[in-house]
Amino acid sequence: MEHKAFVGYSKNPADVSQEILHASSVINKSGFAEAQTWESTPATGRLIIETVLRAIDDSTICLFDVTTLSQNVLFEVGYAFSQKKHLMLSVHKSPEAQHSWRSFDIFSTIGCIFYDTGSELAAKFMTGMAAAGEKTLWDDVSQALDGHSRNSLFYVPTYHTSEAERNLRRMVGKERDLGTKVLVADPAEQGSAPLAWYVNAVYSSTATLLQISAEKHDRNRLHNARTAFIAGLARGLNRPLLIVVDEEYQGPVDYKDILYTYHSKKKLSEKFKEWLGKSFEAWNRANFQGTQTDAPKVEIATELKDLNFGDYVAENESDTLDEYFVETAEYEAVLRENSVVFVGRKGMGKSANMIRASQVLGEDRRNLVCLIRPTNYDLDGLVGVLQSIDGDGRQSFLVDSFWRFLLYSEIAITAVTAAERLPAGISSGTPIAQLRDYLAQNGIADDFSVRLEKVINGALSELKEAPGSSIHRQRERIAQVLHGNIVGNLRRLLGEALRDRHRVALLVDNLDSAWTRSGQLQSQAVLLVGLLGAVSRIAEDFQKENNRLASVNVTISVFLRSDIYDEVIKEAREPDKINTKRIDWDQPELLKRVMDERYLSVRPADTSPDELWKKFFCAEVEGTPTLDHILSTILPRPRDLVYFCKAAVQNAANARHSAVDENDIREAEKIYSKFAVDALLVEYGSTIGHLEDVIYEFTGSEDILSRSTVLELISDGLGEEDGQAAAECLEGLLKISFLGIEVRSGEIWYPDRADQLRKARILARKASRRDKREERYQIHPAYRNFLEVEGSS
């Protein structure tokens, strides 16, 4: 026979697996290939996965059925892909299966067979393989891989906030602080990265850490499927692999023996440190001996390889951000000595502004820079404390006490840590030594998230003991359990220790990581509005000076997602007193600079920024200048532009083009549109009910729709005929810019601020009356390709 094929699939549902077995029989009888199923592979006395991987090694073609997004099967897909096997994927033509595949879809570049019967599957498989060339998908995707980095870790957390995830994030964060190069594929930040991104992440890292959680959690079925593929890829590339799962996880049978089940923080910490240490030792030993870790060799497309645009997530490029950071008015505001709240959507550059500002401020040794970036703190626990207390006054007192304790202690810990790193260390009897000793005496040494958990547990315990106490007594109890006299003592000690500092800059980011349950939004908003109020009060408190207190110049900058800010500000009694800066990129020239600076960072000093678009990108797309076409397609924010351009370059490199052509742009539109939809669902799925179902109802529609049509589609997505619910959902779709509103004939606005949306609504209402028609809405171009939306023209 000409080919030897391995066929991988899930046993359930039984009717689908029977069709696949029939297809295997047809293929064998045809003489086209010898088809071996995983069930026909003997595994006596061996791990199932080892036997299956050996069968894949012995094959030339692999057919995997991904109808159910089985983790077993996707692990095998990742392995076979890394071994340069010819791949064909199949999906049964049921509506549920096609919907799941479309939601997953990081394999848009792999041929997929949609079938009803086994005979149809066999025929399409043989036709597809007969037309295949010598090159495999690995040959294409590997054209622009980065080099293998020393002491580097690739980490994939879950969507779901759990104790295991919080502890893993802390461990990974500590490794980053110690100098380990860490790349994080955070579903909340990353969205659905293209296949090439994941391949490069695993290939260029020394070790891969993956986390899987129980299927009951929101969106984790897709996350676990993606993670299973990455696990197979890491296995195939011989990268050290650790997969952490919750105790309640019922894992795949095939590779459950390579999973580590989380039981306790201590055991997880020991396992993680042991595994990572051995991984780094193995890499260093191999390279010291002049050998490289065994992995498929790659060919590099040199010209396009030079287009290193960095990562589209700021947290993953902190080491190189200074090389191409674009300074804006908002960034300058961080550097100025003012306390301010910075507001913007995901991808607008909030974290990039914070990271770069901390770097610049930290270069002046007179400054102390204190970063608070809780990766996944327990906001639900704090909400529980709030909900156990009656009365706005007591809630406000709790929130204010909570933030004062955490922020004061954070400044103190940072100050002591900075002093300990100095060559001279800390001399006994000095103010900073007294501060250090006070922290030790009161057990204030843990990171932000751990201190927060202690505060929550203490407050809940105290309140349970005295549920009927008076307001005054309950306030005393809350204050005592939160900090006793610690805040006052810390203020005094900090004044003495920091009085010679030019500035203490407190930067708070990543608060949206715990913004999850829509039913608790009001309580969560109370917590965050308390922080915004505390910003000015704490800064003012440190300005005070008397015979007991020394003045310290403390500034606090808070970076907050715009939709969260809009909810938070509703709870503020005096919102006009909150100093707020909006981050936006509504100037195309400013957004263009994002790519220009990244390009120039790796080119000679006299290079023109226009060279990028003249040399490496086609001049036009359907008669429109290429950059203008891209900017009209994406959401106007740096993350999206970088993502789109990287996808276009990757497509060109895979196709071995010398520059990005129009077809590469079209392929990038498909990849980007899926990313945009996925990012939208992650960002707003917790605040807009049934968002995913509603979004998918717009599939195949026209881009411009009347109000009645939009409400009908929303009702179908909600699964109920509730006019009020549909109207509220429409309002939500406008707020997140999925829909724009026609304010004048042919003029569409996509307002992302409450005041702009209010103005747009009024203009739209007047336009509909004037033109005697319904109000009309338009689906944003970023989402149209994935949803197969048809142009109204």
Side-chain angles (χ1 to χ4, degrees):
M1 293 187 180
E2 184 178 356
H3 299 290
K4 189 172 183 179
F6 174 80
V7 182
Y9 55 93
S10 174
K11 292 185 71 171
N12 296 310
D15 57 338
V16 174
S17 62
Q18 287 302 311
E19 295 296 344
I20 297 168
L21 288 172
H22 176 66
S24 300
S25 176
V26 172
I27 294 170
N28 278 320
K29 291 178 181 178
S30 71
F32 174 80
E34 176 189 347
Q36 180 183 19
T37 68
W38 71 268
E39 289 184 277
S40 65
T41 305
T44 305
R46 300 188 61 193
L47 295 177
I48 296 176
I49 189 61
E50 297 300 333
T51 306
V52 170
L53 297 187
R54 179 64 62 86
I56 292 174
D57 289 337
D58 293 341
S59 68
T60 57
I61 305 171
C62 293
L63 171 63
F64 293 104
D65 188 80
V66 291
T67 297
T68 62
L69 296 182
S70 161
Q71 293 172 51
N72 281 335
V73 175
L74 287 166
F75 182 92
E76 296 158 13
V77 173
Y79 179 83
F81 164 66
S82 71
Q83 301 306 299
K84 302 177 70 171
K85 303 298 180 181
H86 281 288
L87 295 178
M88 291 291 284
L89 305 181
S90 62
V91 175
H92 193 261
K93 285 182 182 177
S94 67
E96 297 81 7
Q98 293 187 72
H99 175 80
S100 293
W101 173 248
R102 188 168 176 78
S103 300
F104 186 59
D105 196 29
I106 65 169
F107 299 129
S108 59
T109 49
I110 303 179
C112 187
I113 299 171
F114 293 96
Y115 67 94
D116 276 318
T117 66
S119 298
E120 182 184 9
L121 172 59
K124 289 184 176 180
F125 170 75
M126 290 185 287
T127 300
M129 292 314 304
E134 295 183 3
K135 295 289 185 180
T136 67
L137 178 65
W138 174 264
D139 294 319
D140 290 337
V141 172
S142 65
Q143 288 303 298
L145 293 179
D146 294 332
H148 190 186
S149 300
R150 178 176 180 269
N151 289 3
S152 55
L153 174 67
F154 177 46
Y155 170 46
V156 183
T158 66
Y159 286 102
H160 175 65
T161 301
S162 64
E163 183 183 8
E165 184 187 46
R166 285 196 293 271
N167 289 327
L168 262 180
R169 284 181 181 265
R170 292 167 192 160
M171 295 172 195
V172 170
K174 289 178 180 178
E175 283 298 322
R176 174 180 274 161
D177 293 340
L178 293 172
T180 299
K181 182 178 180 182
V182 177
L183 180 64
V184 181
D186 189 339
E189 295 289 342
Q190 204 78 23
S192 57
L195 173 62
W197 189 93
Y198 292 110
V199 175
N200 190 59
V202 174
Y203 180 84
S204 62
S205 298
T206 305
T208 297
L209 172 64
L210 307 176
Q211 189 174 8
I212 298 178
S213 61
E215 288 285 347
K216 67 179 183 179
H217 300 307
D218 184 40
R219 295 182 62 80
N220 272 15
R221 178 169 175 265
L222 296 178
H223 167 76
N224 288 352
R226 186 181 293 116
T227 303
F229 168 78
I230 298 170
L233 175 63
R235 173 63 185 272
L237 293 176
N238 289 315
R239 296 297 186 261
L241 174 65
L242 178 62
I243 308 174
V244 178
V245 299
D246 291 335
E247 287 184 290
E248 59 188 359
Y249 172 73
Q250 300 297 318
V253 175
D254 286 10
Y255 67 95
K256 68 179 180 180
D257 295 277
I258 62 175
L259 304 178
Y260 177 80
T261 302
Y262 174 83
H263 293 292
S264 71
K265 177 182 177 181
K266 181 180 179 181
K267 290 183 179 180
L268 177 62
S269 178
E270 292 172 351
K271 176 67 176 179
F272 174 71
K273 290 178 180 178
E274 177 188 15
W275 167 77
L276 193 62
K278 288 182 178 179
S279 300
F280 288 172
E281 286 176 11
W283 190 95
N284 293 327
R285 186 166 54 250
N287 282 271
F288 180 76
Q289 296 172 351
T291 61
Q292 289 286 345
T293 303
D294 184 26
K297 296 181 186 252
V298 299
E299 303 171 8
I300 303 297
T302 55
E303 277 292 290
L304 287 176
K305 180 68 170 62
D306 287 339
L307 298 185
N308 183 6
F309 297 141
D311 203 288
Y312 60 93
V313 176
E315 289 83 351
N316 288 333
E317 55 176 6
S318 56
D319 294 340
T320 56
L321 188 61
D322 61 312
E323 299 174 8
Y324 41 72
F325 181 76
V326 177
E327 297 184 1
T328 62
E330 290 76 22
Y331 165 72
E332 294 295 335
V334 183
L335 295 184
R336 289 196 300 268
E337 298 184 14
N338 294 319
S339 293
V340 65
V341 179
F342 296 90
V343 177
R345 287 187 63 175
K346 273 187 180 293
M348 284 291 194
K350 298 187 300 300
S351 294
N353 275 298
M354 190 212 69
I355 292 170
R356 184 58 186 144
S358 69
Q359 292 170 343
V360 172
L361 291 170
E363 290 171 358
D364 187 340
R365 294 186 178 181
R366 299 173 301 167
N367 294 334
L368 178 69
V369 179
C370 180
L371 299 181
I372 298 182
R373 304 183 67 196
T375 50
N376 251 322
Y377 59 100
D378 187 12
L379 193 57
D380 287 346
L382 272 174
V383 169
V385 176
L386 278 183
Q387 292 178 338
S388 68
I389 301 174
D390 296 326
D392 178 63
R394 278 172 285 187
Q395 287 191 345
S396 299
F397 180 79
L398 169 65
V399 170
D400 187 71
S401 298
F402 154 70
W403 284 117
R404 281 181 180 273
F405 169 71
L406 285 175
L407 297 183
Y408 279 54
S409 57
E410 190 72 24
I411 295 173
I413 291 171
T414 303
V416 170
T417 302
E420 289 175 335
R421 290 175 179 170
L422 295 174
I426 299 177
S427 301
S428 61
T430 59
I432 194 68
Q434 294 174 14
L435 178 61
R436 177 199 58 194
D437 296 343
Y438 186 79
L439 293 179
Q441 292 165 8
N442 289 275
I444 307 173
D446 298 311
D447 66 23
F448 182 93
S449 298
V450 175
R451 275 178 285 133
L452 172 56
E453 289 176 6
K454 288 182 178 179
V455 166
I456 293 168
N457 293 333
L460 283 173
S461 176
E462 190 70 24
L463 290 170
K464 286 179 181 178
E465 290 183 10
S469 301
S470 66
I471 294 177
H472 178 73
R473 179 57 181 157
Q474 205 169 53
R475 281 191 175 191
E476 288 182 348
R477 284 180 170 272
I478 291 170
Q480 187 62 37
V481 75
L482 283 175
H483 50 67
N485 297 319
I486 289 178
V487 167
N489 291 332
L490 281 178
R491 169 64 184 90
R492 177 178 56 80
L493 292 169
L494 284 169
E496 293 298 323
L498 302 176
R499 66 188 311 162
D500 294 330
R501 289 282 188 174
H502 175 69
R503 177 181 178 185
V504 175
L506 192 60
L507 308 177
V508 186
D509 188 23
N510 212 39
L511 294 174
D512 55 350
S513 64
W515 190 266
T516 52
R517 299 182 182 176
S518 57
Q520 298 180 337
L521 290 183
Q522 184 176 5
S523 295
Q524 292 174 350
V526 169
L527 284 172
L528 293 185
V529 79
L531 170 61
L532 303 188
V535 165
S536 58
R537 289 193 296 273
I538 292 174
E540 291 172 1
D541 185 41
F542 273 96
Q543 292 293 330
K544 296 176 182 178
E545 185 162 12
N546 52 43
N547 57 359
R548 182 176 174 272
L549 301 176
S551 175
V552 181
N553 180 26
V554 173
T555 62
I556 306 177
S557 298
V558 180
F559 300 82
L560 200 58
R561 217 171 69 195
S562 55
D563 64 307
I564 296 176
Y565 175 81
D566 289 339
E567 291 294 326
V568 166
I569 207 66
K570 295 176 183 176
E571 301 296 325
R573 294 177 179 176
E574 298 177 301
D576 55 309
K577 290 188 177 181
I578 298 176
N579 185 14
T580 305
K581 297 286 185 184
R582 289 273 183 175
I583 301 176
D584 58 49
W585 295 81
D586 52 3
Q587 301 177 38
E589 278 302 312
L590 186 62
L591 194 55
K592 175 179 177 292
R593 279 188 56 202
V594 170
M595 296 309 302
D596 291 347
E597 294 296 335
R598 289 170 183 251
Y599 176 71
L600 294 175
S601 69
V602 295
R603 309 302 291 185
D606 58 347
T607 303
S608 167
D610 293 332
E611 181 182 275
L612 169 64
W613 307 103
K614 292 179 179 179
K615 182 177 181 179
F616 292 102
F617 282 81
C618 56
E620 296 181 340
V621 176
E622 293 187 350
T624 301
T626 298
L627 180 59
D628 292 345
H629 174 81
I630 295 173
L631 294 179
S632 68
T633 301
I634 65 171
L635 292 159
R637 50 193 185 188
R639 180 183 68 177
D640 293 60
L641 180 58
V642 173
Y643 185 101
F644 190 104
C645 291
K646 284 174 71 73
V649 168
Q650 185 68 55
N651 291 333
N654 291 346
R656 295 171 175 79
H657 296 159
S658 60
V660 176
D661 65 18
E662 192 165 336
N663 287 331
D664 298 323
I665 294 291
R666 292 300 184 197
E667 286 301 311
E669 288 178 13
K670 296 178 183 177
I671 297 170
Y672 165 74
S673 188
K674 170 64 175 69
F675 161 79
V677 170
D678 193 62
L680 188 78
L681 296 177
V682 170
E683 188 172 355
Y684 299 107
S686 62
T687 55
I688 300 179
H690 303 283
L691 180 61
E692 184 171 3
D693 294 330
V694 169
I695 292 297
Y696 273 89
E697 282 298 326
F698 287 85
T699 300
S701 66
E702 293 188 345
D703 65 327
I704 296 180
L705 304 164
S706 67
R707 179 180 177 86
S708 58
T709 300
V710 168
L711 292 175
E712 182 179 349
L713 292 173
I714 292 174
S715 295
D716 290 343
L718 295 176
E720 59 178 340
E721 293 293 334
D722 185 338
Q724 180 63 28
E728 290 176 358
C729 187
L730 170 57
E731 185 78 2
L733 296 181
L734 290 170
K735 287 180 179 179
I736 65 177
S737 297
F738 175 78
L739 293 177
I741 187 168
E742 188 176 31
V743 296
R744 299 178 188 88
S745 181
E747 183 179 348
I748 307 293
W749 284 11
Y750 291 93
D752 61 356
R753 292 167 48 174
D755 56 343
Q756 293 175 341
L757 179 57
R758 182 179 181 183
K759 180 179 177 181
R761 277 201 229 91
I762 294 171
L763 290 173
R765 185 175 66 247
K766 291 181 177 180
S768 67
R769 289 175 180 173
R770 181 175 59 251
D771 299 337
K772 297 181 179 180
R773 57 167 175 76
E774 280 191 274
E775 291 180 12
R776 293 190 296 199
Y777 305 90
Q778 185 175 44
I779 301 171
H780 195 285
Y783 310 111
R784 294 177 198 167
N785 193 295
F786 177 72
L787 296 176
E788 299 181 17
V789 171
E790 301 175 2
S792 55
S793 58

